[in-house]
Amino acid sequence: MRVKRIEVSQIFSPWCGGRYRTDGAHSGEAFRDDILKPVLFDETYDIVIVDFRQCYGAPLSFLYEIFVGLTEDD
């Protein structure tokens, strides 16, 4: 089984916030489109772990845009 761990603080930012790109460089939209989607749709990995352990929090709007945004049509 192939596992990919995305360490958010290391490859994106330890300061996550905002829903949309217009809210800043470390938004949920930016993370989802630039980091998460390419890994999920690559089909190289069976499991993808999004690791927030070294982050200074993740607002609900950020998390909503990442995970619920994956299920909504553009």
Side-chain angles (χ1 to χ4, degrees):
M1 187 163 296
R2 298 162 298 188
V3 178
K4 171 69 174 177
R5 178 179 299 274
I6 299 173
E7 294 183 21
V8 178
S9 67
Q10 300 298 313
I11 63 170
F12 188 66
S13 174
W15 301 95
C16 302
R19 178 171 287 187
Y20 306 113
R21 288 183 190 272
T22 55
D23 296 331
H26 306 297
S27 69
E29 182 180 28
F31 179 82
R32 183 193 67 222
D33 292 345
D34 300 344
I35 308 289
L36 188 57
K37 271 188 177 179
V39 172
L40 289 177
F41 298 115
D42 183 358
E43 297 184 12
T44 301
Y45 304 102
D46 300 309
I47 296 173
V48 176
I49 298 169
V50 181
D51 183 350
F52 287 97
R53 282 187 288 184
Q54 300 297 317
C55 291
Y56 299 104
L60 185 57
S61 60
F62 178 86
L63 297 171
Y64 184 94
E65 191 60 31
I66 291 172
F67 298 112
V68 177
L70 286 171
T71 65
E72 296 176 342
D73 293 331
D74 290 331

